[in-house]
Amino acid sequence: MKKYLAVYCGSSKGTNPLYTQQAKALGQAMVKYNFHLVFGAGNVGLMGIIADEILRLGGEVVGVIPQHLVDMEVAHTGLTELIITDTMHERKAIMAERADGFIAMPGGIGTLEEIIEVMTWTQLGLHQKPIGFLNTNQFYSQLFNFFEHMMQEKFLKSHPIDQLICEADVEDLLKGFQSYNSVYTPKWLDK
Ligand code: AMP
């Protein structure tokens, strides 16, 4: 059965060439492990790099982009399927529906917003799909420290990392998705 992973990542490439290398490596590993891509359809930054790599290797790529970003993010014209939405919210809903799991690569606040949103949907019991972070160059380690702070201050019951697949190596990350068993943890409300 075809499996799709939504990959959220920067519309920029970042300073370190490692980010570009890892975007290509993740694309290669996705094709190897038979995962297709759902992404924000931009032909810029790491977004364009991973899409191009998967297409080059014969994988399928579904892009979802709101009309107002078609020019700004230079919508990729060579995708297997391009879905143009009216709003950002529609974009995220379609990406979440089409994906069997979610990965954040390094990126900016757009990337952060999208991955955190699907984490909150897990917490609310709206889906039980796996979520992972590609922690290239320790990019997300400071976020994980901030989650630790939330937990210590009793705004989080457990560290989200316990339910996430977080790896610096692309193959380890995708093996985590292949062997994932969902566990529903209800949101902790301190009444
Ligand atoms: P960035 O990580 O800021 O470079 O953004 C990466 C991608 O996230 C781009 O395709 C943005 O259009 C997208 N993005 C940014 N904010 C949002 C949002 N609120 N909802 C959906 N996508 C977003």
Side-chain angles (χ1 to χ4, degrees):
M1 199 183 94
K2 277 189 200 169
K3 291 250 179 191
Y4 285 86
L5 291 179
V7 177
Y8 305 121
C9 58
S11 54
S12 308
K13 289 182 186 169
T15 47
N16 193 331
L18 191 59
Y19 299 131
T20 294
Q21 281 168 30
Q22 288 282 280
K24 284 187 185 164
L26 180 59
Q28 289 158 13
M30 283 175 65
V31 173
K32 176 174 169 186
Y33 288 96
N34 211 19
F35 288 113
H36 301 295
L37 175 69
V38 179
F39 84 126
N43 200 3
V44 287
L46 299 184
M47 299 171 78
I49 288 166
I50 187 169
D52 283 341
E53 192 63 7
I54 291 179
L55 290 167
R56 186 180 74 80
L57 296 169
E60 289 184 20
V61 178
V62 177
V64 190
I65 191 164
Q67 181 65 56
H68 74 279
L69 289 185
V70 165
D71 294 332
M72 198 192 302
E73 296 193 346
V74 196
H76 200 302
T77 51
L79 304 179
T80 316
E81 186 181 349
L82 178 66
I83 302 170
I84 298 181
T85 64
D86 289 331
T87 66
M88 289 296 241
H89 284 105
E90 254 185 278
R91 173 201 236 180
K92 287 188 289 190
I94 292 173
M95 287 176 71
E97 261 167 44
R98 296 287 292 260
D100 299 293
F102 309 94
I103 291 175
M105 282 204 63
I109 55 173
T111 301
L112 188 63
E113 195 270 351
E114 292 177 287
I115 198 75
I116 294 284
E117 180 169 64
V118 292
M119 287 173 65
T120 65
W121 290 350
T122 303
Q123 171 173 261
L124 296 173
L126 299 177
H127 73 84
Q128 293 181 37
K129 299 175 182 177
I131 300 175
F133 285 81
L134 184 62
N135 200 19
T136 306
N137 196 26
Q138 300 278 322
F139 184 80
Y140 282 111
S141 296
Q142 291 181 52
L143 178 66
F144 302 152
N145 290 341
F146 186 57
F147 291 150
E148 177 74 37
H149 176 64
M150 287 178 172
M151 203 179 78
Q152 279 167 4
E153 297 298 313
K154 299 276 187 276
F155 288 107
L156 271 176
K157 186 176 184 185
S158 58
H159 199 296
I161 211 163
D162 297 342
Q163 288 175 52
L164 299 171
I165 304 162
C166 298
E167 300 287 351
D169 178 83
V170 294
E171 297 249 344
D172 291 343
L173 185 75
L174 292 187
K175 283 178 193 157
F177 276 82
Q178 279 188 320
S179 59
Y180 179 82
N181 289 312
S182 68
V183 188
Y184 172 54
T185 310
K187 178 159 170 31
W188 173 55
L189 298 174
D190 189 10
K191 289 188 182 147

